[in-house]
Amino acid sequence: MKKFAIGIIACSFLVFQSCQNDDIGSSDVDSNGNQDSKVVLNTNSQSLSNRVSYDNSGVFGLSTGITSKSEASNSSDFPMALLAEIEPPVYNGITLRATHVDVKDNYVYVSYNTQGDVYLGAIDVIDVSQPNNPRVVIQALLPNTDISTVLYDNGKLYLAGATDVDKNNLLTTPAFVGVMPLQSGLPTNNFTSASLVSNVAVGLAVTDSKYYGVSGNSGVVAKIDKATNTVETTIAVADLRAMGRIDNKIVVLSGTDGVKVFNADNLSLQSSFSTSKDVADAKRTIDFQGNNLLVSEGYQGLKVYNLNSGSLLQTLAAPKDVVNVDAGDVVTNAVSVNGDFVYVANGAAGVSVYKNTNNNLNLLGSIQLGGSSNYVKSVGDYIYVATGSGLKVIKKLSTLPQSLACESFTPYPGYGELNVNSGDVFNYKGNQLIHNIHVNQNLNFCGNLAVDQGVTVNSGGVFSVKGSLFAGTTKKGTDLVVNGTLVIEGDFMLYGNLILNSGAKLKFLGAGGHMIITGTVTKGNNVTITGNYIDDRNQGKLK
């Protein structure tokens, strides 16, 4: 049977490229040794860790000029770090592509499907309990099933996607929704499913006793009983793309019929309003910010509607005239709301970041990581971006340290180079990206400090950080050079080389923060390293 799936539009969800092969091995069988089971689990730490790349890890800021009419620059008050890139699974020579992300506590659930006629999906679980060191802890491969959406609720994963009915005689149509029980938050080797009209299910929502799904072209909005996994009610809606839940409302997006709002109890239609007509079969997402509905509308950009009245409040066009990018590859694929901040995946134009001020979204800049940004999800301090080269795990350096005596400190007023000359004593605080730092006397920083190039602490200089210090990029091989004293109370992430010249002092204060050094550590004579730290990758480089 030929597969049809919600899919590809102007770089939307391009197939990821990878040289890593995760073909079934001795650990890739179910508990009965059956390689033809519905779910094949891989917990082999070596093969999973091979899919995690740190080659491009490091500090960066928002780009505030990506068009041909202005040169690119970086925003200094929105520091971020690319922690890792997760390459997609490869099975029997087929590279899967990421479709969706959900987050529960320290686990990130990533779903995958396959482009073309082959049905092949997967679910990765990424452990972020070590906040600066994400790890893939399990891969659940679904040999005959694509997964479009994954949603966590109360110890279970709810799935939407498409299955090969020629190999699954329990389902009558390719489109399905289902539920997978978890064990300690991790996938198990089976799931139960229910058929929906159409070729692929593309969205999910949950309430206490029910869950809901939408299927694509000529599809339905469906209500399913959690206890029995039986479909109770279906409503036919053309060209369905996305689904969300707010309060007791189920909200769906159609590429032709716009937005429809249903009562969650009985799926009675409460209201509807038009959106722009979208290209057929393209994957889109919606999200909520207060009473507003945010809709990714492809080439029309992001639009904001009042959910109650349906009135259009704001249109945020996809970026224009992006340097070295074909206009046809700039398309708004997805939107994610995280408090006052809104993240919008705009294909080859990256991820635009907006902040809600007085109920109006204002552009702060964009995240530029290369390739096409096809999906975005932000939870807590993390931003997850599916691009043409894999899933990017980004940390926004925004959580200020607690109970540190920094009230009298002031924000640093600049971005470029921070020079502390002999006789100077500077005290700064906040979340800050700085280009270079040279310390010849005393510099105290309280908060999250990101330095995207180099740090030098000269003889007689004392550089103290309370909060976190993120410095450098792995690709550039950045150096942090200490001739004087570097004091860290909190996390220390160095994406580069640490050079401790003769007489240098490195002090860790407090119970010990997390530490990663991606490059080498060079020690001169009479170097002293004191205090406690958590070596996230067991590198042992400071011993």
Side-chain angles (χ1 to χ4, degrees):
M1 174 177 290
K2 184 180 174 86
K3 178 177 69 171
F4 170 83
I6 287 283
I8 318 297
I9 173 66
C11 293
S12 177
F13 291 101
L14 292 176
V15 176
F16 296 162
Q17 299 300 313
S18 170
C19 59
Q20 174 63 32
N21 193 325
D22 291 324
D23 287 353
I24 285 181
S26 59
S27 64
D28 295 320
V29 296
D30 68 11
S31 57
N32 298 315
N34 179 15
Q35 292 184 347
D36 294 322
S37 62
K38 292 173 70 173
V39 182
V40 179
L41 301 178
N42 178 8
T43 58
N44 185 292
S45 59
Q46 181 62 49
S47 69
L48 296 176
S49 65
N50 286 342
R51 291 177 46 214
V52 182
S53 172
Y54 306 106
D55 291 347
N56 297 309
S57 296
V59 170
F60 68 101
L62 290 177
S63 175
T64 56
I66 61 171
T67 71
S68 58
K69 298 178 181 178
S70 59
E71 294 183 359
S73 58
N74 286 322
S75 172
S76 62
D77 57 357
F78 203 96
M80 293 171 284
L82 175 62
L83 302 182
E85 297 170 287
I86 312 298
E87 296 178 348
V90 177
Y91 181 71
N92 285 343
I94 299 173
T95 302
L96 281 67
R97 57 182 185 176
T99 55
H100 198 259
V101 176
D102 200 21
V103 180
K104 173 61 178 177
D105 298 329
N106 290 324
Y107 284 149
V108 181
Y109 302 93
V110 185
S111 62
Y112 296 86
N113 70 7
T114 303
Q115 185 180 9
D117 293 342
V118 175
Y119 291 88
L120 179 60
I123 299 167
D124 277 339
V125 181
I126 303 171
D127 184 349
V128 291
S129 58
Q130 293 181 342
N132 304 304
N133 188 37
R135 299 178 301 116
V136 181
V137 293
I138 192 169
Q139 170 190 296
L141 190 80
L142 288 75
N144 301 306
T145 302
D146 286 338
I147 305 297
S148 303
T149 305
V150 60
L151 187 62
Y152 176 94
D153 182 69
N154 196 28
K156 298 177 180 179
L157 284 184
Y158 290 84
L159 312 176
T163 193
D164 187 346
V165 294
D166 293 337
K167 297 181 180 179
N168 187 341
N169 56 16
L170 297 178
L171 296 178
T172 57
T173 63
F176 82 94
V177 290
V179 56
M180 174 186 287
L182 301 177
Q183 185 172 18
S184 300
L186 300 180
T188 51
N189 59 10
N190 211 335
F191 64 94
T192 56
S193 53
S195 290
L196 299 183
V197 174
S198 193
N199 291 292
V200 58
V202 296
L204 293 165
V206 295
T207 59
D208 290 340
S209 61
K210 311 294 179 183
Y211 76 100
Y212 305 80
V214 288
S215 50
N217 195 18
S218 301
V220 296
V221 182
K223 181 176 72 169
I224 305 100
D225 183 73
K226 280 185 175 180
T228 63
N229 203 49
T230 56
V231 178
E232 295 183 336
T233 307
T234 61
I235 306 293
V237 178
D239 196 19
L240 284 159
R241 309 298 183 85
M243 164 178 273
R245 175 208 165 195
I246 183 170
D247 301 325
N248 201 41
K249 300 173 181 177
I250 298 297
V251 182
V252 303
L253 172 66
S254 163
T256 56
D257 296 345
V259 170
K260 294 182 180 294
V261 181
F262 297 92
N263 181 287
D265 294 330
N266 55 19
L267 286 188
S268 61
L269 183 64
Q270 293 186 329
S271 63
S272 62
F273 52 90
S274 297
T275 61
S276 58
K277 298 294 190 293
D278 204 353
V279 178
D281 305 325
K283 173 103 176 181
R284 302 289 180 241
T285 72
I286 60 175
D287 210 343
F288 306 96
Q289 192 171 54
N291 291 322
N292 293 343
L293 175 68
L294 285 68
V295 180
S296 56
E297 298 193 22
Y299 291 113
Q300 303 301 314
L302 179 74
K303 294 190 178 182
V304 183
Y305 300 88
N306 181 285
L307 185 59
N308 297 324
S309 67
S311 59
L312 177 62
L313 302 178
Q314 199 171 0
T315 297
L316 302 167
K320 306 296 183 184
D321 301 321
V322 181
V323 175
N324 298 323
V325 169
D326 190 310
D329 294 336
V330 178
V331 55
T332 300
N333 295 314
V335 58
S336 179
V337 175
N338 187 351
D340 288 334
F341 294 94
V342 174
Y343 301 87
V344 182
N346 284 317
V351 175
S352 295
V353 181
Y354 297 86
K355 185 175 183 180
N356 189 327
T357 304
N358 298 323
N359 208 32
N360 195 66
L361 296 183
N362 297 296
L363 179 65
L364 300 181
S366 65
I367 298 171
Q368 295 294 311
L369 298 172
S372 176
S373 296
N374 306 316
Y375 179 82
V376 62
K377 175 81 171 183
S378 180
V379 177
D381 289 338
Y382 294 91
I383 307 163
Y384 305 95
V385 183
T387 75
S389 58
L391 184 77
K392 316 286 188 179
V393 183
I394 300 166
K395 184 175 183 181
K396 180 189 173 192
L397 309 182
S398 62
T399 302
L400 290 173
Q402 301 295 315
S403 303
L404 296 178
C406 311
E407 291 82 2
S408 63
F409 290 11
T410 59
Y412 179 62
Y415 160 65
E417 290 200 5
L418 172 54
N419 293 308
V420 183
N421 296 319
S422 297
D424 289 337
V425 177
F426 293 152
N427 299 314
Y428 296 119
K429 67 178 179 181
N431 302 312
Q432 188 74 34
L433 174 66
I434 296 177
H435 194 55
N436 266 307
I437 293 180
H438 301 276
V439 181
N440 292 289
Q441 197 66 55
N442 288 353
L443 173 61
N444 302 299
F445 192 94
C446 183
N448 297 298
L449 177 60
V451 186
D452 63 3
Q453 291 200 9
V455 177
T456 301
V457 184
N458 289 318
S459 297
V462 179
F463 181 19
S464 299
V465 177
K466 295 184 177 183
S468 68
L469 173 61
F470 284 68
T473 58
T474 301
K475 181 171 286 187
K476 292 180 180 179
T478 308
D479 291 339
L480 193 159
V481 181
V482 182
N483 299 293
T485 302
L486 175 62
V487 182
I488 305 290
E489 185 174 356
D491 292 350
F492 177 40
M493 301 290 134
L494 175 57
Y495 303 100
N497 307 307
L498 178 62
I499 301 172
L500 301 171
N501 289 322
S502 296
K505 297 179 180 179
L506 176 58
K507 300 180 180 180
F508 294 93
L509 302 182
H514 295 269
M515 185 200 71
I516 291 173
I517 300 172
T518 65
T520 61
V521 175
T522 303
K523 299 178 187 177
N525 297 322
N526 300 316
V527 169
T528 59
I529 301 174
T530 57
N532 301 312
Y533 56 87
I534 302 169
D535 190 349
D536 272 352
R537 297 181 190 162
N538 297 315
Q539 297 169 306
K541 292 185 176 182
L542 292 184
K543 293 181 180 179

